[in-house]
């Protein structure tokens, strides 16, 4: 909630679009539900690996390598974990478009894009668990502080990149994702489809051929043919409605003729 409040404050700095607290309330609730579910899934992972006797055999001894560097090792450790987590998030995101679009459509459906609407259906926590939490749980770390820091950095960026503010990273967006770069990913315009999947780093998009440089573009967002959810109930039931049955983004789920939301 602190990170979300920080992004809402940023949205008041040079706002491109303005939204009230009432507009943000459904997204805030969904963010809380998804966060709690993610924590509930991730918390016992280390215990499970230990109980199964898996961790000692395949754990990557990252902290053993970095501990001799002292404080510098802590900084390098945090940076490595952010990069690894974001690399995994990039491929989770690609998978959601290719295989789990009915669930991921909840994230793309809003026609009003802001930090509170950086939401996903609670079911998406399962994808984060499988694609990110499980592999990262096998990396040795120095203690609980580093995951907290890494989580805060990644979460803050994941919220900010949806903010309708003039505050952006300019030329640095060729490395780090900003709100202009990510808005392209939510665009209704066909030339933007399947672009800019990165959450923290845009380098993955440039490496794997999914980058689109936004320049000064600020497109309308949403999914054609999908009514923008307005209530908590709308968000929760959307994956189970016929309108969410479009195939993956790579099969052009936004190519349905637009309807009024």
């Amino acid at each position: 909630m602190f990170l979300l409040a920080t992004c809402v404050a940023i949205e008041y700095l040079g706002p491109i679009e303005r939204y009230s607290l009432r507009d943000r309330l459904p997204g805030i609730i969904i963010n809380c539900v998804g966060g709690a579910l993610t924590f509930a899934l991730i918390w016992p992972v280390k215990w499970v690996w230990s109980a199964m006797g898996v961790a000692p055999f395949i754990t990557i001894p990252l902290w053993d390598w970095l501990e001799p560097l002292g404080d510098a090792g802590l900084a390098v450790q945090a940076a490595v974990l952010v990069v690894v987590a974001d690399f995994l998030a990039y491929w989770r995101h690609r998978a959601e478009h290719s295989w789990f679009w009915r669930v991921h459509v909840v994230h793309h459906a809003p026609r009003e894009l802001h930090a509170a609407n950086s939401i996903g259906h609670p079911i998406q926590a399962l994808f984060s668990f499988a694609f990110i939490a499980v592999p990262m749980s096998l990396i040795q770390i120095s203690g609980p502080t580093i995951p907290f820091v890494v989580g805060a950095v990644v979460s803050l960026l994941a919220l900010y990149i949806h903010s309708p503010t003039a505050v952006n990273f300019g030329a640095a967006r060729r490395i780090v994702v900003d709100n202009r770069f990510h808005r392209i990913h939510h665009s209704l315009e066909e030339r933007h489809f399947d672009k800019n999947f990165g959450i923290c780093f845009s380098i993955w998009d440039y490496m794997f051929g999914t980058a689109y440089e936004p320049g000064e573009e600020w497109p309308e967002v949403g999914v054609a043919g999908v009514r923008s959810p307005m209530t908590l109930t709308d968000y929760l039931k959307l994956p189970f409605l016929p309108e969410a049955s479009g195939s993956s983004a790579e099969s052009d789920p936004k190519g349905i003729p637009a309807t009024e939301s």
Side-chain angles (χ1 to χ4, degrees):
M1 291 303 295
F2 172 76
L3 298 175
L4 183 55
T6 300
C7 284
V8 171
I10 293 173
E11 290 176 357
Y12 282 95
L13 301 175
I16 296 176
E17 300 170 356
R18 295 181 181 273
Y19 299 102
S20 68
L21 180 60
R22 181 182 180 87
D23 294 328
R24 292 181 168 99
L25 190 57
I28 291 172
I29 295 172
I30 287 288
N31 264 297
C32 291
V33 171
L37 181 57
T38 299
F39 179 79
L41 287 169
I42 292 174
W43 180 78
V45 171
K46 286 284 190 182
W47 177 85
V48 170
W49 289 151
S50 296
M52 293 175 62
V54 171
F57 297 102
I58 59 176
T59 295
I60 299 172
L62 178 64
W63 183 235
D64 283 348
W65 299 337
L66 297 175
E67 187 174 14
L69 300 178
D71 290 342
L74 288 171
V76 172
Q77 176 188 211
V80 168
L81 292 176
V82 169
V83 171
V84 171
D86 194 58
F87 178 75
L88 295 171
Y90 172 85
W91 289 107
R92 178 211 62 193
H93 199 175
R94 294 282 300 267
E96 287 171 336
H97 278 251
S98 297
W99 305 326
F100 311 117
W101 176 253
R102 289 190 68 100
V103 175
H104 190 61
V105 72
V106 173
H107 180 66
H108 282 265
R111 301 294 178 93
E112 300 176 345
L113 197 60
H114 48 77
N117 265 354
S118 62
I119 47 82
H121 197 277
I123 293 174
Q124 280 194 224
L126 297 174
F127 308 149
S128 293
F129 174 77
F131 280 85
I132 302 174
V134 170
M136 290 202 67
S137 71
L138 298 174
I139 300 175
Q140 180 201 34
I141 56 176
S142 58
T145 302
I146 293 299
F148 177 81
V149 171
V150 170
V153 170
V154 172
S155 297
L156 182 61
L157 272 170
L159 292 167
Y160 156 72
I161 62 177
H162 297 90
S163 293
T165 174
V167 178
N168 62 75
F169 298 154
R173 73 169 62 101
R174 288 191 66 87
I175 299 174
V176 182
V177 177
D178 68 0
N179 57 337
R180 283 192 177 275
F181 188 87
H182 189 69
R183 190 176 181 90
I184 295 298
H185 182 69
H186 286 260
S187 174
L188 279 164
E189 299 180 30
E190 186 173 356
R191 69 180 184 276
H192 297 150
F193 294 172
D194 307 320
K195 301 297 183 183
N196 299 6
F197 287 91
I199 306 299
C200 295
F201 298 107
S202 56
I203 53 176
W204 314 127
D205 287 294
Y206 286 103
M207 286 175 62
F208 298 109
T210 54
Y212 181 100
E213 174 55 46
E216 296 301 314
E217 293 184 55
W218 192 260
E220 294 296 317
V221 300
V223 179
V226 176
R227 190 180 301 275
S228 182
M230 302 301 294
T231 68
L232 179 59
T233 301
D234 289 342
Y235 282 107
L236 293 176
K237 71 180 183 181
L238 180 54
F240 310 103
L241 299 179
E243 62 193 81
S245 63
S247 58
S248 72
E250 296 183 358
S251 298
D252 212 16
K254 295 183 182 180
I256 307 168
T259 59
E260 293 297 323
S261 60

